[in-house]
Amino acid sequence: MSYQSGTDSDANRLAQTIGSNIQKITQHTAEIQRIVNQLGTPQDSAELRQQLLQKQQNANRLAKETDRYMKEFGSLPPRAEQRQRKIQKDRLVGDFSNALAAFQKIQRQAAQKEKEFVARVRASSRVSGGLPDDGGLLSYESESQPQAQVQDDAIREEDLVLIKERETSIRQLESDIIGINEIFKDLGMMVHEQGDTIDSIEANVETAEIHVQSASRQLTRAAEYQSKSRKKICILIVVLSVLAVVIGLIIWGTLKN
């Protein structure tokens, strides 16, 4: 989908697409919140976590797609109604930012719950070392970890699998959170650039108005000068006509005598 011609219809269709994506992100966020609330409860299951992963992926895809559309909206060729378009874009940026903030918040909650789950599994399996107090991730490399790090009760295989799965999920969540931060930076940059564009357009409009006003004054002066010239010519014609009549009368009188 591309809207590079910059017509009103293109801008409106692009804005509608962005608005629709924002609504979808908001809906996914609400569904993710519902699932996250069930993590660690009797309702928790592999199927539930699969649903969570799918909705997170869909929301991230929509966020990246909307970010691309926002950039395309900002790059549309300037038109006479640029001020109105800026107002429309500012509204979309605000709505998109709010949706992203809510999505990022629930992503952090999901990551925290995953870390708590890993901590519980570690405790129940009597894993030494494990996650540090600051919430860092476990690293299980069988060839590099000395046997002395594992207590007499070895980590149960099923617990080790669960821990690795959760660690992968945590890494993905943290990567997604960083990705959302990058989108926030893009939005801030777009707003700044759009403001510069509007200022430049308004400056050009003001300059054009000054030129028009100057040209109008010059035309007025020219018209006044032309009007005065016409009056002078008319007076001269009248004077010459009167002189011609007087001279004609004098000659006629002379000839008659």
Side-chain angles (χ1 to χ4, degrees), residues 205-237:
V205 171
E206 291 175 356
T207 301
E209 290 178 350
I210 292 173
H211 290 165
V212 169
Q213 293 173 359
S214 176
S216 178
R217 287 194 295 268
Q218 292 177 5
L219 288 174
T220 301
R221 293 194 190 100
E224 292 175 353
Y225 177 79
Q226 187 176 21
S227 177
K228 291 179 181 179
S229 297
R230 288 177 178 174
K231 288 181 181 179
K232 291 179 180 178
I233 292 174
C234 290
I235 292 173
L236 180 60
I237 292 174

Side-chain angles (χ1 to χ4, degrees), residues 107-123:
Q107 291 285 75
R108 294 183 188 278
Q109 292 179 13
Q112 182 59 35
K113 285 209 170 188
E114 293 287 32
K115 290 178 182 179
E116 292 172 355
F117 175 85
V118 171
R120 287 196 302 270
V121 173
R122 180 192 65 181

Side-chain angles (χ1 to χ4, degrees), residues 168-185:
T168 300
S169 177
I170 293 171
R171 291 190 182 94
Q172 183 60 52
L173 285 168
E174 292 176 341
S175 175
D176 293 342
I177 290 171
I178 293 174
I180 296 299
N181 286 336
E182 292 301 318
I183 294 179
F184 275 125
K185 292 179 182 179

Side-chain angles (χ1 to χ4, degrees), residues 2 8-9 17 34 36 50 58 60 69 94 115 147 210 246:
S2 179
D8 292 343
S9 59
T17 301
R34 177 183 59 80
V36 169
Q50 183 61 35
N58 289 339
N60 272 293
Y69 288 154
K115 290 178 182 179
Q147 290 295 327
I210 292 173
V246 172

Side-chain angles (χ1 to χ4, degrees), residues 1-254:
M1 186 184 302
S2 179
Y3 304 87
Q4 287 301 319
S5 61
T7 63
D8 292 343
S9 59
D10 284 344
N12 291 334
R13 283 198 298 271
L14 189 53
Q16 290 174 0
T17 301
I18 293 172
S20 176
N21 280 6
I22 293 172
Q23 290 180 353
K24 291 177 182 178
I25 292 173
T26 301
Q27 293 172 355
H28 281 302
T29 299
E31 294 170 355
I32 292 171
Q33 179 71 72
R34 177 183 59 80
I35 295 175
V36 169
N37 290 339
Q38 299 179 52
L39 296 180
T41 69
Q43 289 75 33
D44 196 351
S45 65
E47 181 180 357
L48 185 70
R49 291 178 179 274
Q50 183 61 35
Q51 292 178 10
L52 175 61
L53 177 61
Q54 183 177 1
K55 293 185 182 299
Q56 288 170 334
Q57 290 175 342
N58 289 339
N60 272 293
R61 176 184 57 78
L62 285 169
K64 293 177 182 178
E65 181 180 274
T66 306
D67 182 35
R68 187 173 68 254
Y69 288 154
M70 288 296 301
K71 291 177 180 177
E72 189 169 351
F73 189 91
S75 65
L76 290 175
R79 297 179 64 82
E81 67 284 356
Q82 192 73 3
R83 169 61 64 179
Q84 183 62 32
R85 185 177 292 177
K86 181 181 184 301
I87 294 174
Q88 185 181 36
K89 180 179 178 181
D90 288 345
R91 178 180 59 79
L92 292 173
V93 168
D95 293 344
F96 189 29
S97 296
N98 291 335
L100 287 178
F103 176 54
Q104 189 180 60
K105 180 180 178 180
I106 193 58
Q107 291 285 75
R108 294 183 188 278
Q109 292 179 13
Q112 182 59 35
K113 285 209 170 188
E114 293 287 32
K115 290 178 182 179
E116 292 172 355
F117 175 85
V118 171
R120 287 196 302 270
V121 173
R122 180 192 65 181
S124 64
S125 297
R126 297 183 180 181
V127 178
S128 64
L131 288 173
D133 293 338
D134 63 358
L137 298 178
L138 289 171
S139 177
Y140 292 94
E141 298 291 341
S142 59
E143 294 181 359
S144 61
Q145 294 291 336
Q147 290 295 327
Q149 291 185 347
V150 183
Q151 295 181 347
D152 293 338
D153 294 334
I155 305 173
R156 295 193 300 270
E157 183 177 354
E158 59 271 22
D159 288 341
L160 182 58
V161 172
L162 285 175
I163 290 174
K164 288 184 176 181
E165 288 178 353
R166 297 301 180 267
E167 286 181 348
T168 300
S169 177
I170 293 171
R171 291 190 182 94
Q172 183 60 52
L173 285 168
E174 292 176 341
S175 175
D176 293 342
I177 290 171
I178 293 174
I180 296 299
N181 286 336
E182 292 301 318
I183 294 179
F184 275 125
K185 292 179 182 179
D186 290 342
L187 292 177
M189 184 63 67
M190 281 187 283
V191 171
H192 176 72
E193 291 176 349
Q194 183 76 357
D196 289 344
T197 300
I198 293 297
D199 292 340
S200 176
I201 291 174
E202 290 181 344
N204 290 336
V205 171
E206 291 175 356
T207 301
E209 290 178 350
I210 292 173
H211 290 165
V212 169
Q213 293 173 359
S214 176
S216 178
R217 287 194 295 268
Q218 292 177 5
L219 288 174
T220 301
R221 293 194 190 100
E224 292 175 353
Y225 177 79
Q226 187 176 21
S227 177
K228 291 179 181 179
S229 297
R230 288 177 178 174
K231 288 181 181 179
K232 291 179 180 178
I233 292 174
C234 290
I235 292 173
L236 180 60
I237 292 174
V238 171
V239 171
L240 291 175
S241 298
V242 172
L243 289 175
V245 171
V246 172
I247 293 172
L249 291 174
I250 292 174
I251 294 173
W252 181 75
T254 302

